[in-house]
Amino acid sequence: MQTAQTPSVVSNPPEPPTQSLPRGALLVENFLSEREERSLLAAVAQLGDEQWQRLAHRRVCHFGYVFNYLTRTFESERLGNLPRWTDRVVERIQRVQSVVEQIKSAGPEADSRLAVEAAVLRCMHSELSKDELHCSRTAATHEPVVRFGGWSDVLMAPPNDVTELAAAMQRGGSVQPAFDQLTINEYECGVGLRAHVDTHSSFWGAIASVSLGSSCAFEFRRDAVHTKHASDPIQHVVFVPRCSLLIMDGESRYAWNHFIPMRKNDYGADGRELINRGTRISLTFRHVRHSRQCDCKWVAFCDSQSDTPKGSGGDYKSASSKMIEAARQKHRSELSEQLRSGHLRLEEHFVHKAYESIAPHFDDTRFAIWPRVRRFLSLLDKDACCIDIGCGNGKHLGEMAGHVFKFGCDACPTLMSITRSKIQLAQLGVALAENLPFRNQSFDGAICIAVLHHLSSASARLAALREMARVLTIGGKGIVYVWAREQEHEHKTIDRWIALSDLGVDGAENNDYLAPWLVHVGAREDWKARALELGGEWDHTRRGVKVYRYYHLFEGDELVSLVQSLGNVRVCSSFYERSNWGCVFERVY
Amino acid sequence: MRLLTHNFMCSPRTKAYPLRLVPAEIEMIESAYNPGFVQHVLPRIEWEPLRATALACGLGELPPSPPQDPNVDEDVWRLLHRILLDTHVKEGILVSPSGAEYTIHNSIPNMLPKTAADAEPKHVPQATDIMDE
């Protein structure tokens, strides 16, 4: 089983957009004139550094209410009105929404999608002509283009939305309820947004987002289990140009994950030309859900109706973080109890079962190959017989395409089936590293990447290395990689892990940890369900299903000493590389 | 699972050899004739078990001893290539000398040792067992 260190996705190959939208979504291209875009960008540039909040990959600025990314909800304290310089944009969004509402209230007809698109287009022409009166534009006129995803299957808004709407109308008194929360996002070129559904309990009604400065691809995904008919789409990719407006309402807002792929260019609307991204500013307007309680029909996507901690009014933040902390403590003491009583066995539960539960998601994320491993494989003769011990999803077997004979084994049967489906002629077997089912001296080369650290005793780790050397021919070479105690970013790794010694587990060695794997909220629904079913737990803070894996971290010369203690091998090289220890050796007799 | 893989395989814990193959479904997938590779692996092939397995799978009869020169007995070398590389066991069972069974499903043998008590009972080693270590 391999778990190479976080292969971050640097570039996703772009794919042509479907230029379709889920039901309830509306895209208006050239919603703003270039002059309007310039003045909005100038206003954003005026914001002080202290107003921005830095997130992992982007920075954000909130108006109206602060959104807390840790608790995934808004802070109760109101910051005041939205800035005046957004007034005209908001008014125009509301006029567009009114037009859509009018058609909706007339009853959804078969051709209402076209009717909506035509009506919004008329509305946009009149809007932009007003702008033209304000200032005679010299720039070429860009025609608005309107795209509508159709009405939601569930036409009625959630009852709670109706209540919120009534309250908002009372406060504002206009035809369309006023937005009371604005998030300004600044995305540098190449930065994306991970798949998510905006928390139902935090915001009600439509979400409207205006793009400034750069375009991007915008994707909607849902799992097939949430579709009514087999032919219903599970993915929409739309090119969102600068100056455009995207409104997500109904199904598109409540029952689709949306994300922005992490990459530096996207196919334009025609699906032929690649358009480079620059720095993109988005203005996203939302309605804060004061009741913090959603009662929509899309229960599977609704945080109010799942078993995650729910918001209550008042000091929500501290209440929720206390709840999270209490849940964490409870979980740790349960873990500790189960491990001490021998009810949970380390490898059985935190390696074998853990990999079973995350197998498809794991497969989806493992593709990067360490340069040293690649070089090791490339130096093996094409006729060499190779074995990949703990081959996981078979990424290295794929790399050995030119070799006549390669065998991969892993303790996880599901990963073996996945590998089998990808590499038809791969020679695979379900086996344990410390019990290899091969005769002595069968292989010319052996690799064992990110496997030994899952064995919970020094004797098991030595046994696995001994087996690896045993199946090698004299002169055969092996390469081993393991996680290092010397982690480069401890705050992201060890600091977040559970030290077994803290759980009071008998016989726990130093450097033994439980590290969480997260099947994040945007992952396929069946992957999350699988992980939950097979022992994972819902993590409210990190938004996903968390599955702990056991690790023994190797420290200093621990790996190379273990290899040397085999006696029948010569260490060719040993190295530290990005939070891993590695070693190449040759069997000498 | 190729028959070459099978020839290399032994019991995971005791290293007992050979594992008797009881094939239920075999698939032939032709690959480019590669005498160089066959020559490379021939020294590590256990010849008698290979002959027996080839016969059991109805693949023809190999000579009593391994061939020497790919340029001389080309028919034998081609047969060897066919047996070792082109014969894939999709479903079946592997039986260890002590009677422990391992299933092959979807071409993947499951070699996880059963619990020490039930799967590989401690037994008096027989002549057919090769205890490696």
Side-chain angles (χ1 to χ4, degrees):
Chain A
M1 274 166 285
Q2 0 135 294
T3 50
Q5 286 283 284
T6 44
S8 60
V9 183
V10 189
S11 62
N12 278 323
E15 53 181 308
T18 59
Q19 285 302 87
S20 57
L21 289 166
R23 293 164 188 272
L26 178 81
L27 176 72
V28 183
E29 295 180 22
N30 297 312
F31 174 74
L32 302 172
S33 68
E34 288 185 357
R35 190 184 66 82
E36 289 168 323
E37 182 196 36
R38 270 198 304 279
S39 74
L40 289 169
L41 283 172
V44 172
Q46 292 292 313
L47 294 171
D49 277 348
E50 74 288 351
Q51 287 176 273
W52 290 96
Q53 181 194 350
R54 193 117 290 285
L55 301 180
H57 299 289
R58 63 183 202 275
R59 59 177 190 163
V60 296
C61 177
H62 299 293
F63 290 94
Y65 292 86
V66 170
F67 187 75
N68 183 324
Y69 291 88
L70 201 67
T71 58
R72 290 270 149 189
T73 185
F74 60 90
E75 305 283 6
S76 302
E77 189 194 352
R78 184 158 177 262
L79 300 179
N81 294 326
L82 304 194
R84 295 300 305 272
W85 52 265
T86 59
D87 284 357
R88 286 186 50 184
V89 179
V90 170
E91 283 162 24
R92 188 174 295 164
I93 295 172
Q94 290 180 323
R95 272 193 284 275
V96 166
Q97 288 183 301
S98 299
V99 167
V100 179
E101 276 303 315
Q102 276 164 25
I103 297 178
K104 186 174 171 182
S105 58
E109 303 293 330
D111 60 348
S112 62
R113 174 184 288 182
L114 292 176
V116 167
E117 291 177 354
V120 172
L121 196 59
R122 274 197 304 277
C123 167
M124 280 307 303
H125 278 135
S126 99
E127 286 291 319
L128 289 175
S129 65
K130 274 190 235 162
D131 180 57
E132 225 156 2
L133 290 178
H134 274 284
C135 155
S136 58
R137 283 186 298 173
T138 49
T141 314
H142 298 296
E143 280 295 310
V145 178
V146 183
R147 227 176 275 281
F148 180 51
W151 305 114
S152 289
D153 271 354
V154 184
L155 266 178
M156 293 301 292
N160 195 304
D161 281 23
V162 179
T163 322
E164 294 277 2
L165 172 65
M169 301 291 255
Q170 219 162 23
R171 285 193 297 272
S174 66
V175 186
Q176 279 295 320
F179 291 105
D180 53 2
Q181 203 273 338
L182 163 64
T183 304
I184 305 177
N185 283 284
E186 185 188 71
Y187 300 88
E188 298 288 339
C189 173
V191 169
L193 181 64
R194 74 176 186 176
H196 68 286
V197 179
D198 285 59
T199 39
H200 292 199
S201 66
S202 294
F203 305 107
W204 67 276
I207 293 170
S209 189
V210 172
S211 294
L212 309 172
S214 170
S215 58
C216 71
F218 201 89
E219 298 204 24
F220 291 89
R221 290 264 177 97
R222 67 174 171 181
D223 192 69
V225 298
H226 296 304
T227 59
K228 268 193 183 157
H229 312 288
S231 58
D232 286 344
I234 55 167
Q235 181 189 19
H236 295 282
V237 186
V238 69
F239 179 73
V240 173
R242 53 195 278 195
C243 296
S244 67
L245 164 72
L246 178 66
I247 297 180
M248 291 186 284
D249 199 359
E251 187 181 306
S252 68
R253 178 260 179 274
Y254 285 119
W256 285 79
N257 285 296
H258 60 267
F259 67 100
I260 298 170
M262 218 188 288
R263 60 180 177 236
K264 293 188 173 170
N265 50 36
D266 309 286
Y267 279 106
D270 63 2
R272 285 197 292 268
E273 196 186 349
L274 275 175
I275 316 264
N276 287 330
R277 286 194 202 165
T279 299
R280 175 173 168 269
I281 305 274
S282 72
L283 309 181
T284 304
F285 299 92
R286 297 183 176 90
H287 306 283
V288 161
R289 189 189 289 281
H290 296 278
S291 70
R292 297 187 189 262
Q293 204 63 45
C294 177
D295 51 2
C296 69
K297 299 236 167 90
W298 295 283
V299 177
F301 298 90
C302 185
D303 61 314
S304 277
Q305 298 172 72
S306 65
D307 53 1
T308 56
K310 293 182 182 80
S312 55
D315 192 358
Y316 180 77
K317 183 194 166 195
S318 64
S320 110
S321 53
K322 265 184 211 154
M323 220 183 291
I324 291 165
E325 190 48 41
R328 184 174 291 143
Q329 287 301 336
K330 180 162 171 281
H331 177 248
R332 289 200 178 200
S333 62
E334 279 172 7
L335 264 183
S336 162
E337 181 52 38
Q338 286 173 319
L339 280 166
R340 275 190 295 190
S341 65
H343 184 68
L344 282 184
R345 286 213 293 269
L346 269 181
E347 281 174 44
E348 191 179 303
H349 191 83
F350 294 106
V351 180
H352 300 162
K353 197 172 169 199
Y355 275 93
E356 274 300 318
S357 71
I358 64 171
H361 184 233
F362 177 83
D363 167 50
D364 196 45
T365 59
R366 299 295 112 156
F367 45 81
I369 292 179
W370 291 91
R372 278 196 170 91
V373 177
R374 178 167 283 142
R375 198 174 326 130
F376 178 89
L377 295 174
S378 72
L379 290 175
L380 291 172
D381 193 86
K382 292 296 175 211
D383 284 345
C385 298
C386 315
I387 182 167
D388 184 352
I389 301 165
C391 65
N393 70 341
K395 65 176 183 178
H396 293 113
L397 297 172
E399 178 75 11
M400 290 186 255
H403 288 87
V404 182
F405 185 79
K406 60 260 178 183
F407 184 89
C409 62
D410 201 290
C412 177
T414 304
L415 279 174
M416 289 298 79
S417 299
I418 289 173
T419 304
R420 171 81 192 152
S421 66
K422 294 193 299 189
I423 311 172
Q424 278 305 311
L425 291 183
Q427 299 298 293
L428 302 171
V430 182
L432 298 176
E434 60 272 49
N435 279 314
L436 291 180
F438 287 103
R439 289 191 279 119
N440 287 353
Q441 303 198 37
S442 294
F443 297 98
D444 306 282
I447 67 175
C448 184
I449 312 300
V451 175
L452 288 187
H453 52 219
H454 286 316
L455 302 178
S456 65
S457 70
S459 60
R461 296 187 283 272
L462 182 62
L465 279 173
R466 191 170 281 138
E467 280 287 83
M468 185 175 177
R470 181 183 66 78
V471 299
L472 277 175
T473 55
I474 310 285
K477 284 190 172 177
I479 183 168
V480 184
Y481 261 90
V482 292
W483 279 15
R485 172 64 184 81
E486 299 82 353
Q487 290 283 311
E488 281 181 1
H489 306 288
E490 287 206 2
H491 64 286
K492 285 189 195 163
T493 56
I494 291 178
D495 291 353
R496 292 183 179 180
W497 300 346
I498 300 176
L500 278 188
S501 50
D502 287 353
L503 293 180
V505 180
D506 277 349
E509 299 174 41
N510 272 343
N511 299 341
D512 280 6
Y513 288 88
L514 297 180
W517 173 278
L518 194 75
V519 184
H520 58 79
V521 70
R524 280 175 45 163
E525 295 298 323
D526 53 334
W527 297 352
K528 282 182 282 182
R530 178 192 178 91
L532 270 178
E533 199 175 311
L534 294 176
E537 49 161 323
W538 176 257
D539 184 325
H540 183 62
T541 317
R542 293 187 61 207
R543 307 287 297 168
V545 182
K546 191 163 66 179
V547 175
Y548 281 103
R549 293 180 299 171
Y550 164 82
Y551 283 89
H552 168 78
L553 302 183
F554 284 67
E555 187 166 9
D557 61 0
E558 185 177 345
L559 176 66
V560 73
S561 305
L562 209 58
V563 172
Q564 273 162 342
S565 73
L566 293 175
N568 61 343
V569 303
R570 176 179 69 85
V571 172
C572 309
S573 63
S574 71
F575 39 86
Y576 172 88
E577 187 178 354
R578 291 174 57 195
S579 305
N580 283 254
W581 287 105
C583 178
V584 175
F585 61 85
E586 179 184 350
R587 179 169 176 181
V588 286
Y589 62 84
Chain B
M1 188 187 82
R2 286 179 160 133
L3 290 191
L4 172 59
T5 308
H6 169 250
N7 195 270
F8 283 178
M9 291 180 85
C10 62
S11 285
R13 278 190 329 114
T14 63
K15 316 301 177 195
Y17 186 85
L19 302 177
R20 185 164 55 87
L21 172 67
V22 184
E25 189 184 343
I26 285 182
E27 189 179 12
M28 303 302 295
I29 302 171
E30 209 168 307
S31 62
Y33 176 50
N34 188 343
F37 176 76
V38 177
Q39 200 170 16
H40 173 70
V41 295
L42 199 52
R44 43 190 116 150
I45 297 289
E46 287 289 338
W47 192 250
E48 270 314 312
L50 184 71
R51 284 188 77 207
T53 307
L55 267 181
C57 295
L59 296 165
E61 190 167 354
L62 285 166
S65 56
Q68 301 297 320
D69 185 346
N71 300 315
V72 178
D73 318 305
E74 197 185 315
D75 286 352
V76 177
W77 286 88
R78 281 191 179 273
L79 178 60
L80 257 180
H81 177 96
R82 194 171 135 80
I83 292 170
L84 292 173
L85 292 174
D86 292 352
T87 311
H88 298 260
V89 182
K90 292 187 77 175
E91 305 284 331
I93 304 173
L94 295 168
V95 187
S96 84
S98 61
E101 293 188 354
Y102 303 93
T103 52
I104 305 165
H105 173 59
N106 188 24
S107 298
I108 305 169
N110 187 330
M111 306 304 289
L112 290 184
K114 317 283 189 306
T115 55
D118 60 18
E120 296 214 279
K122 287 224 164 65
H123 67 290
V124 182
Q126 297 164 11
T128 48
D129 288 7
I130 299 171
M131 305 294 286
D132 291 295
E133 293 218 322

